[in-house]
Amino acid sequence: MAEQRLSRKNIKEPDQFLTTSVRLLHWIQQNTRYLLYSSLGLVCIIGISVGWFTWQKHRENQARSLFYEAKKLLTTDPNSDKLTNRARAREYLEELVQNHNNTSLAASAHWYLGQLAFDAGDYPQALQAYQQAQRKISRSSDSPMFSTVTLGLGYTQEASGMYAEAITSFNTVAHASAYWLRSEAYLGLGRCYRALGEGDKANTLSSRVMSDQHLSELTRQHISEQLASFELTKPIN
């Protein structure tokens, strides 16, 4: 088979790969300073991002350590000094929310502070803590934590004589997907209606309870009996 030979015309034509490479090298030479600054900028962005994520992880670890110490004190041996343990736990939680308020455990820390303040009878402090916890959590009805915090807020509002506000909080919980909290919310609504002298609303609420299929029949019956007693009881002065 005869060997194919390149024509003079083909030999004289420039190689496409070499031509592109030469153009690229020429462009790099003309834009060296731009490429250098761009590279330095990219390195700085990467460095800042890595540093930020490292710092956030460090803060999360510190918050987790404080939260663990607080929980350990709150769930310790019942024979130990309960008041001392609560005071120390409050210190850990306050340090967490003061220094690490943007971490994932801040909402839980505010909730625990609300619980401690409520148990101590410090309702203004409890209100503030629960409201701060709410602001840290999604208001989605599918958030069990939000429902838990809102229930605590409702109890605190009721104890503070803020019955209209408490009704709003208890209603939020009663309509939420966290159905295991609904029995407490329904009873809270009944108590607030009684306090406002609106015992007739407890009867309407009782019908709503009996149609709530998320509650067992025994629970529905118990709540209805309680609501009936609220309806017959004189309002709180």
Side-chain angles (χ1 to χ4, degrees):
M1 183 175 181
E3 181 179 354
Q4 293 184 350
R5 294 178 179 275
L6 293 174
S7 66
R8 287 178 177 273
K9 181 179 179 181
N10 290 336
I11 293 175
K12 289 179 180 180
E13 288 180 352
D15 184 277
Q16 187 64 34
F17 174 76
L18 293 176
T19 302
T20 304
S21 300
V22 170
R23 290 177 179 174
L24 179 60
L25 289 172
H26 182 65
W27 184 88
I28 292 174
Q29 289 175 348
Q30 289 183 328
N31 296 275
T32 301
R33 180 173 298 181
Y34 170 78
L35 291 172
L36 178 62
Y37 290 155
S38 298
S39 299
L40 289 174
L42 181 60
V43 170
C44 289
I45 292 173
I46 293 174
I48 292 172
S49 299
V50 171
W52 185 83
F53 282 114
T54 302
W55 173 242
Q56 283 295 106
K57 184 177 181 180
H58 174 67
R59 294 186 67 205
E60 287 285 346
N61 288 337
Q62 288 183 317
R64 191 174 296 109
S65 177
L66 291 168
F67 191 74
Y68 170 77
E69 292 298 330
K71 282 196 68 175
K72 186 169 65 173
L73 288 167
L74 294 173
T75 56
T76 190
D77 184 356
N79 296 322
S80 61
D81 190 340
K82 189 174 182 180
L83 291 177
T84 301
N85 286 344
R86 283 175 170 252
R88 290 177 59 197
R90 186 182 298 109
E91 291 176 0
Y92 283 122
L93 294 169
E94 287 176 346
E95 182 180 351
L96 193 161
V97 299
Q98 288 172 5
N99 300 328
H100 310 287
N101 200 38
N102 292 324
T103 59
S104 59
L105 287 171
S108 297
H110 282 299
W111 177 70
Y112 270 106
L113 286 170
Q115 293 286 90
L116 290 172
F118 181 86
D119 291 342
D122 189 351
Y123 301 135
Q125 187 63 37
L127 283 171
Q128 182 180 359
Y130 283 131
Q131 288 167 348
Q132 288 176 330
Q134 275 190 330
R135 287 193 285 269
K136 292 286 181 183
I137 309 170
S138 168
R139 288 184 174 271
S140 169
S141 61
D142 293 326
S143 173
M145 184 61 182
F146 185 81
S147 297
T148 302
V149 170
T150 304
L151 183 64
L153 179 61
Y155 278 126
T156 308
Q157 291 166 331
E158 179 188 358
S160 303
M162 304 166 60
Y163 300 116
E165 292 84 351
I167 286 173
T168 299
S169 296
F170 288 135
N171 257 323
T172 298
V173 178
H175 284 96
S177 61
Y179 59 86
W180 55 92
L181 300 176
R182 290 184 183 178
S183 58
E184 293 184 67
Y186 287 137
L187 291 174
L189 286 169
R191 291 192 302 271
C192 290
Y193 288 142
R194 178 188 62 181
L196 293 173
E198 300 174 350
D200 56 314
K201 290 186 177 180
N203 187 39
T204 303
L205 181 62
S206 180
S207 299
R208 177 175 158 193
V209 169
M210 294 305 293
S211 64
D212 191 338
Q213 297 303 312
H214 287 98
L215 303 176
S216 68
E217 183 177 353
L218 184 62
T219 300
R220 294 198 301 268
Q221 187 63 36
H222 171 71
I223 296 173
S224 295
E225 291 173 358
Q226 290 288 99
L227 293 176
S229 68
F230 293 156
E231 184 180 359
L232 298 173
T233 307
K234 293 181 179 180
I236 299 174
N237 296 323

